[in-house]
Amino acid sequence: MGLRMFERIAGREPEDGLAARRPLVDAVASREPELVGLADGALRERADALGRRVRAATPTDADGGPDALGRRREPGGDDFLVETFALVREAARRRLGQRPFDTQIACGIALYHGRVAEMATGEGKTLAAVAPVALQALAGRGAHVLTFNDYLARRDAGWMGPVYDLLGLSVGFVQEGMGPAERQRAYGSDVTYLTAREAGFDLLRDGLCLDPAEQVHRPFHSALVDEADSILIDEARIPLVIAGAMEQQSTGLPRLAALARRLRPGLDYETDDAGRNVFLTEQGLEEVEQALGCGSLVDPEGLRLLVAMRNALHAEALLSRDVDYIVRRGKIELVDELTGRVADKRHWPDGLQAAVEAKEGLRLGADGRILGSITLQHLLRLYPHLCGMTATARSAAGELREIYGLDVASIPTHRPCVREDLPDVLFSHREARDRALVEEIVRVHDRGRPILVGTASVAASERLAAGLRGRGVRCRVLNAKNDEEEAAIVAEAGALGAVTISTNMAGRGTDIRLGGEDERDRDRVVALGGLSVLGTHRHESVRIDDQLRGRAGRQGDPGSSRFYVSLDDELLEKTGISRLIPENFFPEKITEEIDSAVVRREVARAQRIIEGESSDTRRRLYELSEILEKQRAFMAAWRREVLEGPGGLGLLEERAEPRWRRLADRLGAERLEQIERRLTLLVIDRCWSEHLTEMQAVRDEVHLVALDGRVPMAELYRAAIGAFEALLERVDDEIVAAFEHLAVGPEGPDWDEAGLRGPSATWTYMVHDDVFAGNVLLGLANRASIGFMAVLLLWPVLLGWGIYLRWKRRRGDRPGRSG
């Protein structure tokens, strides 16, 4: 709240993206007459010549260096921009039959200038992105377009491909399931469409390669993020993980799940006001200790079991089937609360994931060792050039600027938006809301007007659909259980008489055409008022509400939106709506609509509270992950030095000289260097994996130190720095020890016998990391007093970096090592 207020005072509201760029937009338009008459070959020659000039102007350190986030801006960019954008506009006209509007050109300019462009749904963001991406690609270092899902990556690459092709630029896309050779070809293209998730997983896989030729990425250069608020804000905190070396899952989890079912709420355990955490009472602690026949769970040797019991209780009390997850094909699949979709390849932290599997009586999944991890936030900051586009960025402007240094440019619509956004309809309880909602749907449906209803969960969508069918209204349901049918359902959601009940799946990345997919009844639907969008609840962010509203009113189409809200909605209850509304204004349980400005105001306030808490949680999770990311970057640089050479070696010749010389005489210096390089990489990987496992355990358990009167944040930082210092000291010793015991025969080293072969299989997933977002650790982190504690914590961070630098200098002084 304070940051947003400061931004308003400082005049940092999102800029008018068209007015601010009108001179450049006009300059692009002035080039059109000379390009229209050119043959395709001449247009291609123009693009080739432009590419040579752009590559000749590639910036170096002498060009002013990077900005505060490590990003660079191209010199003379606006000179190249006008010519590139004019070429792209003409190529799009020829290959797609679409001439980009001035608003799309302005959007592209804002993107090239490193902004997040806010552009309404249906305004053509996909085409607007082509010109800035093409200009980045002309530099010859590759440009990534990060899409919302694999389907959009494949679709957009094929759809926009002819435009790039006419300009001599190659296009590729990356999909889950592709092999290394296909990925190398895709990343080697001038333009690559893919998800941020796949880019991150490939970075993690590259970090395990033992041969540079196996890597698929080239150095990061430019990324344009589609649905930027979702990827840069909502999902950015989520860690990407690569795991391997499967271990045996704990066999005690089913027993803990059964015990959790027996515990009584209010007696054996309690939940916090936000419903995010569960706590054993003193009576519950005694009950668990007696049932398990163990000692005290709060003793150091009992903490692991206490964490496992907490996970079992969390799964039982706080996570609901068909709300937080579904069970499909014998597996737990998480439902993303922001999109309503199955969160593909996403897990809860391993202990909780296993607890939910045990709760549902499923076969426990593999729990392997974490080999590498990076959050999307830190992944995206690796790109020197970063920009994004979305329909809803304004309310996230402060966070985008704070974390990424990205300002928001608001692009006006090509045609005025005439959608009617009606005031909320408020009710005291869910049953009254649902009755009124069904009546409204029946009334609108009787006229033939298409309706899209957004619901909070799978269960809610199915409950509403059953109520409508009971009234004789045919409807289609879109939720995580039938996500394979999404494209077909959405395609006809704007058809005459269509009623579509959906979770948030229809709220982002969808384009609903009036009259149906082929717009056969467009005129009749327009005459009826267009698409009617109805929401059954307020979301955790007004951005998500706006995404749902934005399904109607596409490119000047008529439409309307309205939310039906009950005061016993889970979101409102979490914020304590009963305390926010003054007692004399709080309504009794009534069936009629609530008509009160005070209640309406407090409902809006409750949503702002949730938004603020979510923003604080993201910020704290970012701070918690920052120290681990610094350690990851340090280890990645060290590993890259060893992998790519020529430096990074020499330790064995220094500390194991007798055996080194014997083997050098027998194998030759070059062959022995290859052995040392592989040995060093494998030991680095193993030690880093052990460090990640240790840090995961610390993070899972560190909030329990509050029971002992210590500050969890301080303990976490102390543990992270201490563990990393020990890691740096241990790696060299383990390399030497492994070398001394490595059997080297005529066929080469026996890596298996030494226990140094890499994992036989790896898999990747995303961690739903904020499931414990309200725990004691983060609760303490959000207190004002901890701000002062954070200052006190700076000294170990600085001390830690001093250790890193001193260690690096020490390694660099050895013979055969690069400095």
Side-chain angles (χ1 to χ4, degrees):
M1 177 62 74
L3 178 63
R4 288 195 290 270
M5 184 177 296
F6 173 78
E7 288 162 357
R8 286 196 294 269
I9 294 172
R12 296 297 297 278
E13 289 295 311
E15 63 190 28
D16 184 329
L18 180 57
R21 293 166 178 81
R22 175 52 71 182
L24 284 174
V25 172
D26 291 342
V28 171
S30 71
R31 297 289 186 95
E32 285 188 81
E34 66 179 281
L35 298 178
V36 169
L38 294 179
D40 286 356
L43 204 68
R44 172 74 170 269
E45 289 175 4
R46 286 278 190 103
D48 290 343
L50 175 62
R52 288 192 292 271
R53 299 205 312 276
V54 171
R55 288 189 290 276
T58 297
T60 65
D61 292 338
D63 293 314
D67 65 14
L69 290 176
R71 292 194 291 272
R72 299 180 183 274
R73 298 286 176 254
E74 301 288 356
D78 286 351
D79 296 333
F80 298 140
L81 184 152
V82 171
E83 186 173 354
T84 303
F85 278 52
L87 286 168
V88 168
R89 177 178 256 175
E90 178 60 20
R93 186 187 67 79
R94 297 185 187 192
R95 289 293 182 262
L96 305 179
Q98 300 178 35
R99 175 188 176 274
F101 304 130
D102 283 357
T103 51
Q104 290 172 300
I105 295 295
C107 177
I109 295 170
L111 292 168
Y112 183 71
H113 287 162
R115 303 289 197 273
V116 172
E118 184 180 64
M119 196 177 195
T121 301
E123 290 293 305
K125 290 188 289 293
T126 304
L127 179 56
V130 173
V133 170
L135 181 47
Q136 292 287 3
L138 287 172
R141 290 176 290 172
H144 293 176
V145 182
L146 303 179
T147 63
F148 192 62
N149 55 42
D150 276 0
Y151 162 73
L152 292 175
R154 183 175 64 253
R155 184 202 73 177
D156 293 353
W159 185 12
M160 298 294 118
V163 181
Y164 294 114
D165 181 67
L166 183 55
L167 302 179
L169 296 171
S170 57
V171 183
F173 62 89
V174 174
Q175 305 273 271
E176 182 182 355
M178 278 185 170
E182 292 176 291
R183 290 173 183 268
Q184 284 177 335
R185 284 194 296 273
Y187 286 119
S189 300
D190 296 308
V191 178
T192 308
Y193 284 81
L194 73 163
T195 63
R197 178 185 66 207
E198 287 300 316
F201 286 150
D202 282 332
L203 179 73
L204 294 175
R205 292 186 191 100
D206 283 354
L208 296 175
C209 289
L210 300 176
D211 183 342
E214 297 172 354
Q215 296 180 312
V216 300
H217 270 300
R218 50 175 164 167
F220 283 2
H221 169 52
S222 167
L224 186 154
V225 184
D226 195 5
E227 300 294 353
D229 63 315
S230 176
I231 296 173
L232 295 174
I233 299 295
D234 298 329
E235 295 193 0
R237 66 189 182 273
I238 298 174
L240 306 175
V241 173
I242 185 168
M246 290 185 291
E247 299 168 356
Q248 184 64 37
Q249 186 70 262
S250 170
T251 58
L253 291 177
R255 183 185 180 193
L256 296 181
L259 177 56
R261 281 192 290 273
R262 297 206 310 265
L263 296 178
R264 298 158 296 178
L267 295 175
D268 298 324
Y269 67 88
E270 295 178 350
T271 58
D272 60 12
D273 290 340
R276 286 180 177 269
N277 270 272
V278 61
F279 309 94
L280 285 169
T281 63
E282 187 172 344
Q283 177 178 321
L285 197 61
E286 292 176 358
E287 177 77 17
V288 171
E289 289 170 348
Q290 183 176 356
L292 297 178
C294 60
S296 172
L297 289 176
V298 296
D299 288 343
E301 56 271 17
L303 289 183
R304 292 287 178 119
L305 185 55
L306 180 58
V307 169
M309 187 66 229
R310 180 202 64 181
N311 284 331
L313 194 53
H314 192 116
E316 179 63 31
L318 300 182
L319 298 177
S320 301
R321 184 169 178 167
D322 289 344
V323 176
D324 302 294
Y325 63 92
I326 62 173
V327 177
R328 185 164 59 178
R329 293 186 283 271
K331 293 182 179 179
I332 297 292
E333 296 187 342
L334 276 64
V335 176
D336 190 316
E337 68 276 13
L338 297 175
T339 68
R341 292 177 167 87
V342 165
D344 189 36
K345 298 186 72 173
R346 193 178 304 177
H347 293 183
W348 283 301
D350 281 341
L352 182 58
Q353 181 79 14
V356 177
E357 291 170 344
K359 168 189 172 182
E360 296 292 344
L362 302 176
R363 184 173 179 271
L364 300 182
D367 188 21
R369 167 176 289 187
I370 295 176
L371 304 176
S373 178
I374 187 172
T375 66
L376 283 172
Q377 229 162 17
H378 291 109
L379 169 74
L380 294 167
R381 284 171 58 104
L382 296 178
Y383 286 93
H385 299 261
L386 184 66
C387 62
M389 56 186 186
T390 179
T392 48
R394 187 179 299 265
S395 63
E399 201 166 341
L400 290 167
R401 187 178 304 117
E402 179 184 1
I403 301 297
Y404 302 99
L406 296 173
D407 287 321
V408 173
S410 185
I411 310 297
T413 56
H414 177 60
R415 297 187 181 94
C417 179
V418 297
R419 184 185 65 241
E420 188 179 11
D421 295 326
L422 301 167
D424 292 355
V425 186
L426 305 178
F427 296 90
S428 62
H429 58 292
R430 191 187 75 188
E431 290 76 14
R433 179 203 63 192
D434 288 352
R435 279 195 297 270
L437 183 62
V438 168
E439 291 301 324
E440 173 68 5
I441 293 171
V442 171
R443 184 185 68 81
V444 175
H445 175 65
D446 284 345
R447 297 174 53 220
R449 187 179 175 190
I451 305 166
L452 172 68
V453 186
T455 61
S457 66
V458 172
S461 66
E462 294 178 343
R463 186 172 58 244
L464 178 59
L468 288 173
R469 288 165 184 151
R471 293 290 301 274
V473 176
R474 296 181 59 187
C475 59
R476 302 191 71 178
V477 179
L478 175 60
N479 61 38
K481 287 186 175 180
N482 63 343
D483 50 1
E484 297 90 348
E485 302 174 43
E486 178 178 0
I489 293 174
V490 169
E492 292 301 316
L496 192 69
V499 178
T500 307
I501 312 298
S502 176
T503 56
N504 291 347
M505 290 176 67
R508 190 186 288 274
T510 59
D511 190 10
I512 297 175
R513 297 175 181 271
L514 298 187
E517 185 175 18
D518 58 2
E519 301 185 88
R520 57 193 176 277
D521 294 314
R522 175 179 169 79
D523 291 343
R524 295 177 64 187
V525 172
V526 168
L528 290 170
L531 181 68
S532 172
V533 172
L534 302 175
T536 63
H537 66 294
R538 282 289 189 173
H539 296 88
E540 291 193 4
S541 168
V542 70
R543 289 184 293 106
I544 313 302
D545 293 344
D546 290 344
Q547 286 285 347
L548 180 59
R549 291 187 195 277
R551 299 311 103 191
R554 171 185 172 273
Q555 288 195 8
D557 286 344
S560 66
S561 71
R562 188 164 218 169
F563 285 81
Y564 283 65
V565 180
S566 63
L567 297 184
D568 61 356
D569 179 86
E570 182 182 1
L571 177 73
L572 298 182
E573 288 189 334
K574 282 182 179 180
T575 61
I577 190 69
S578 59
R579 295 192 301 272
L580 294 177
I581 299 174
E583 186 175 352
N584 56 321
F585 285 95
F586 198 88
E588 298 292 332
K589 192 172 183 179
I590 56 177
T591 58
E592 295 81 15
E593 173 188 347
I594 299 169
D595 185 14
S596 168
V598 172
V599 176
R600 194 177 302 280
R601 181 189 68 213
E602 294 307 319
V603 167
R605 180 184 170 197
Q607 188 177 39
R608 291 196 300 273
I609 290 172
I610 285 289
E611 284 184 316
E613 289 177 351
S614 297
S615 178
D616 286 343
T617 295
R618 289 191 296 268
R619 189 173 291 108
R620 301 310 170 197
L621 288 169
Y622 176 76
E623 291 170 357
L624 290 173
S625 65
E626 183 75 351
I627 188 169
L628 195 62
E629 169 58 18
K630 286 182 169 62
Q631 294 173 352
R632 185 207 66 81
F634 185 88
M635 296 297 288
W638 178 14
R639 194 185 192 283
R640 190 162 51 249
E641 180 187 13
V642 174
L643 178 65
E644 298 175 1
L649 304 179
L651 174 67
L652 296 180
E653 187 175 5
E654 175 189 343
R655 290 182 50 181
E657 184 180 4
R659 187 162 198 243
W660 173 271
R661 295 205 175 281
R662 289 197 303 273
L663 287 176
D665 291 341
R666 179 156 59 94
L667 302 175
E670 183 177 348
R671 175 64 175 139
L672 190 54
E673 181 180 300
Q674 293 173 355
I675 293 173
E676 180 179 6
R677 195 176 304 279
R678 183 183 180 93
L679 176 63
T680 301
L681 292 172
L682 290 170
V683 171
I684 288 174
D685 291 345
R686 184 175 67 188
C687 290
W688 178 243
S689 174
E690 291 168 353
H691 178 70
L692 290 175
T693 301
E694 179 181 355
M695 292 312 303
Q696 184 63 52
V698 168
R699 186 166 171 186
D700 283 349
E701 300 169 12
V702 72
H703 68 281
L704 297 174
V705 304
L707 300 173
D708 194 30
R710 289 175 286 164
V711 180
M713 285 283 286
E715 293 299 321
L716 181 70
Y717 273 75
R718 186 178 295 114
I721 291 170
F724 194 64
E725 182 180 348
L727 166 68
L728 296 180
E729 295 297 329
R730 188 172 73 247
V731 171
D732 281 2
D733 292 340
E734 292 203 11
I735 292 172
V736 174
F739 178 67
E740 293 285 10
H741 292 89
L742 180 65
V744 183
E747 302 299 321
D750 190 339
W751 301 107
D752 286 329
E753 190 274 337
L756 285 170
R757 184 159 310 268
S760 57
T762 62
W763 64 96
T764 54
Y765 60 91
M766 302 171 74
V767 180
H768 190 66
D769 206 29
D770 69 337
V771 69
F772 300 131
N775 69 20
V776 176
L777 170 62
L778 293 176
L780 286 168
N782 284 330
R783 291 182 184 170
S785 60
I786 301 303
F788 176 71
M789 179 61 68
V791 175
L792 296 179
L793 288 171
L794 283 177
W795 72 265
V797 176
L798 296 174
L799 176 62
W801 277 109
I803 293 170
Y804 304 166
L805 295 175
R806 185 173 69 249
W807 175 85
K808 190 174 183 180
R809 284 196 298 270
R810 177 170 61 83
R811 291 183 63 84
D813 288 341
R814 293 195 184 119
R817 293 178 185 268
S818 59

